[in-house]
Amino acid sequence: MKTGALSIALRAGAALAAAALTALLTVSGASWRLDDFLYDLHLSHWGYPPDGDVVVVAIDDRSLNELGQWPWPRDLHAQMFDRLGYAGVRGVALDLVLAEPDRNGDEHDRALAAAMRRLGRVALPVVTAPLRQNAPPVEVLPTPVIATAASTLGHTDIELDAEGTARGLYLKAGLGDARWPALGLALIGLDRQAPAQSAARGPLPGLRRPASERGSPYLWTRDHYVRIRYAGPPDTFSQVSYADVLGGQVPVELLRDRWVVIGVTATGLAPRYLTPMSEDVRMHGAEYQANVIEMLLHHRAIVPLAPLWQALLAATMLLAVVLAMLHPRLQRPGLVAGSAALLALAGSVALLRVTDLWFPPAATLMMIGAAYLAWLIGHLRHWRREANLDTLTQLGNRRRFDHVLQRELASARRTRAPLSLALIDVDHFKAYNDAHGHRAGDKLLQKIAAVIASHARRPRDLPARFGGDEFAVILPDTHVEGAARVADAILADLRKLDARYGAREDQRVSLSVGLYTCVPGPHTHARTVFDGADAALYRAKENGRDRREVTRLGEV
């Protein structure tokens, strides 16, 4: 009962330790590379056709060729806003930094501001930049003339992961306080017809910044983190040339009641970003903003599970898997581990598809694999030990004895050290078995084995059972006197056992011990040592049993 309880406690402890480690790895993000690989692999096959709510007006290479060198006078943007207003667009995000007055004169800024007021529902970006080298960042807003004409402002901070991929977005950010909405969120917030439950008016999704973290006035503070559900690879969204819109070549129906993002796509003028949808082709900022707007309009934002829930889910899975693998009646732990890994991966995908929640499964998968590997190594060691162990007495078996004798013989040849071998036979064991039964005989063999093992205590000493009632002890680096002391101690301890098989005092089990000691030479073989000990054992039996006899040779 005690052994069973200890086994259960050990299994439970191992399972709890694996669960705790899995939870720690999950929340620490140690497996982020594999998590991001799995996330990108799934997301790249989870695109969707845009609903046609968003149009990108691209300041492309052709527009530069037709309208002149960049930057353009801002009265061109004023004309664009008038065109868009005539077309009846729902709102415009001008993804351009207008932090300095127009170099062509203030009248161009005033013209742009007037056009923005006529259109209404215009969102402009807020960015951060240091005023000088090594200075803290400041928020860079449009010039006052233009900023006062804008309907709203939003940040354009694009969150790049460790390898430079734009997977996520903070819906709120700001210097010292996350007060600015993302540009796309700010734009759709201008829609007066938006329902209360929309992203523009309802509770914002995303992971929250811990309330205990206080924002510094010198640091960019972010909140409401989501991962972007991209519609597809670059050029998935409808895109028209800035010059075509300005020239009236774009049908009004293509723009009416649409959200418009105006941004630079011309070669070399604006950065492009890696996304999970494409490994090689990068996405320009305007289409990135279009993806954000489309995602928020149709509630497609992907929210990572809170760290606590990630830890609990990962720990629960590992706890169940390890307990199942360590259950003594389970015959196929490999099947359990494989099924659990597939379930964890499929569960992560299902959670993402059904609820738009992201659970990173990599740490769980790795720990399931590590748990199975640990189980496999443990069982291989157990099987190897069992192959060299006598199951009744827990001493080495004949296979183990032969291997160790050859090894120690070779070692003694190299070092010129003495090697001793004791062969032990149980006297009158058959009579004891006949008198008390085989179960009592097995218990007696276990007691004798314990006595022998108690006197073969050095790391290289090997007590072994040949089978039946025959035992042996290999004693490396042991002279004949030392081997004799070991044999005498074994004999003395066995005499203390009550191992009678009859009524008379002399009717008891005893031991006969044959010792052989030599300093092996080049022609000394294992059979030579064994035969020397066996000859001594034969003499012990001939001389009355319950004794030891010794064969002495300096070198054979």
Side-chain angles (χ1 to χ4, degrees):
M1 183 65 70
K2 289 183 179 179
T3 303
L6 179 61
S7 178
I8 293 173
L10 288 174
R11 290 199 299 270
L16 288 172
L21 182 57
T22 305
L24 180 63
L25 289 175
T26 300
V27 299
S28 69
S31 58
W32 66 268
R33 289 185 183 275
L34 181 55
D35 281 320
D36 285 346
F37 170 77
L38 296 173
Y39 176 85
D40 293 353
L41 183 64
H42 176 64
L43 203 67
S44 63
H45 294 85
W46 196 33
Y48 60 91
D51 292 346
D53 300 296
V54 186
V55 175
V56 175
V57 175
I59 302 173
D60 53 10
D61 293 318
R62 190 160 64 83
S63 298
L64 294 181
N65 290 334
E66 293 185 15
L67 301 176
Q69 186 179 2
W70 185 260
W72 297 327
R74 288 176 186 164
D75 56 352
L76 276 180
H77 299 316
Q79 295 175 41
M80 173 60 73
F81 280 124
D82 287 338
R83 284 280 185 185
L84 296 175
Y86 172 75
V89 299
R90 186 174 293 183
V92 179
L94 182 61
D95 192 13
L96 300 176
V97 178
L98 306 175
E100 297 179 357
D102 192 305
R103 63 184 182 180
N104 298 299
D106 293 341
E107 65 274 11
H108 296 281
D109 286 335
R110 289 194 293 271
L112 176 58
M116 290 169 59
R117 289 190 180 95
R118 287 192 296 271
L119 173 62
R121 300 188 300 281
V122 175
L124 296 180
V126 176
V127 297
T128 58
L131 292 177
R132 60 186 180 277
Q133 188 175 6
N134 298 326
V138 297
E139 292 177 347
V140 180
L141 278 65
T143 62
V145 172
I146 297 175
T148 55
S151 306
T152 186
L153 300 175
H155 77 82
T156 55
D157 178 31
I158 296 180
E159 174 69 12
L160 299 179
D161 291 345
E163 73 276 24
T165 302
R167 294 186 179 89
L169 166 74
Y170 286 91
L171 296 179
K172 287 290 189 73
L175 203 60
D177 181 38
R179 62 183 178 278
W180 300 110
L183 183 64
L185 179 64
L187 178 64
I188 64 176
L190 299 175
D191 189 2
R192 301 184 184 91
Q193 300 177 355
Q197 68 271 19
S198 69
R201 298 179 184 273
L204 284 181
L207 279 181
R208 299 302 310 276
R209 182 170 61 92
S212 59
E213 291 185 8
R214 294 183 178 180
S216 166
Y218 303 105
L219 296 177
W220 189 249
T221 303
R222 298 172 293 188
D223 202 357
H224 292 281
Y225 176 77
V226 298
R227 288 200 164 191
I228 301 170
R229 171 91 184 276
Y230 286 95
D235 301 325
T236 297
F237 279 84
S238 299
Q239 181 173 305
V240 294
S241 175
Y242 190 102
D244 290 344
V245 176
L246 198 62
Q249 301 173 29
V250 177
V252 171
E253 293 75 15
L254 188 62
L255 299 172
R256 181 175 293 123
D257 206 30
R258 304 287 198 275
W259 299 101
V260 175
V261 179
I262 302 175
V264 178
T265 66
T267 306
L269 285 187
R272 290 175 176 257
Y273 305 96
L274 287 173
T275 72
M277 306 302 289
S278 175
E279 293 183 0
D280 302 320
V281 182
R282 293 174 178 253
M283 183 178 291
H284 54 72
E287 189 166 10
Y288 171 90
Q289 297 296 343
N291 273 281
V292 172
I293 295 169
E294 184 80 9
M295 174 190 73
L296 293 174
L297 283 173
H298 299 284
H299 307 284
R300 294 189 176 105
I302 297 170
V303 181
L305 276 178
L308 177 60
W309 287 108
Q310 289 186 25
L312 287 175
L313 186 56
T316 301
M317 284 192 284
L318 252 294
L319 186 65
V321 169
V322 175
L323 284 176
M325 288 176 57
L326 295 179
H327 196 280
R329 295 184 180 179
L330 186 69
Q331 299 298 319
R332 296 184 176 178
L335 181 61
V336 170
S339 301
L342 289 176
L343 182 62
L345 190 58
S348 175
V349 172
L351 190 67
L352 183 59
R353 293 229 174 191
V354 175
T355 66
D356 290 324
L357 292 173
W358 167 240
F359 167 71
T364 304
L365 297 176
M366 291 190 298
M367 284 301 299
I368 289 174
Y372 178 67
L373 183 61
W375 177 90
L376 190 60
I377 292 173
H379 273 68
L380 286 174
R381 294 180 64 183
H382 172 73
W383 294 329
R384 182 179 177 182
R385 184 170 178 268
E386 288 293 311
N388 292 280
L389 197 69
D390 178 69
T391 54
L392 177 65
T393 63
Q394 300 302 299
L395 300 182
N397 58 14
R398 179 60 183 266
R399 181 169 180 265
R400 176 68 173 162
F401 170 81
D402 289 340
H403 172 74
V404 172
L405 183 59
Q406 290 285 0
R407 185 189 68 197
E408 294 298 342
L409 190 61
S411 176
R413 286 196 196 101
R414 291 193 304 269
T415 61
R416 304 298 296 165
L419 175 66
S420 293
L421 173 64
L423 293 183
I424 305 171
D425 197 19
V426 182
D427 303 321
H428 312 298
F429 181 68
K430 183 178 182 305
Y432 187 90
N433 252 350
D434 293 341
H436 300 288
H438 290 286
R439 187 181 297 274
D442 287 345
K443 289 183 179 180
L444 177 62
L445 289 177
Q446 290 173 339
K447 292 178 181 179
I448 293 172
V451 169
I452 294 172
S454 68
H455 294 285
R457 292 186 291 261
R458 296 180 305 173
R460 289 170 57 192
D461 292 347
L462 176 72
R465 181 191 178 203
F466 275 71
D469 58 355
E470 298 173 347
F471 296 86
V473 181
I474 300 175
L475 298 167
D477 198 16
T478 304
H479 293 279
V480 65
E481 293 81 5
R485 284 195 296 270
V486 171
D488 290 341
I490 292 173
L491 290 169
D493 282 354
L494 187 69
R495 292 178 188 124
K496 299 175 184 176
L497 292 179
D498 185 15
R500 296 187 183 184
Y501 58 86
R504 299 197 313 269
E505 176 65 25
D506 60 341
Q507 290 181 314
R508 60 180 180 82
V509 171
S510 61
L511 297 180
S512 296
V513 182
L515 295 176
Y516 180 82
T517 301
C518 70
V519 177
H523 302 294
T524 305
H525 301 289
R527 190 66 197 178
T528 307
V529 178
F530 186 87
D531 288 346
D534 191 50
L537 176 63
Y538 181 78
R539 291 199 304 274
K541 285 186 171 293
E542 286 291 313
N543 292 332
R545 298 187 175 91
D546 192 19
R547 68 180 62 240
R548 63 167 171 83
E549 295 290 341
V550 179
T551 300
R552 303 168 184 261
L553 283 177
E555 182 174 356
V556 179

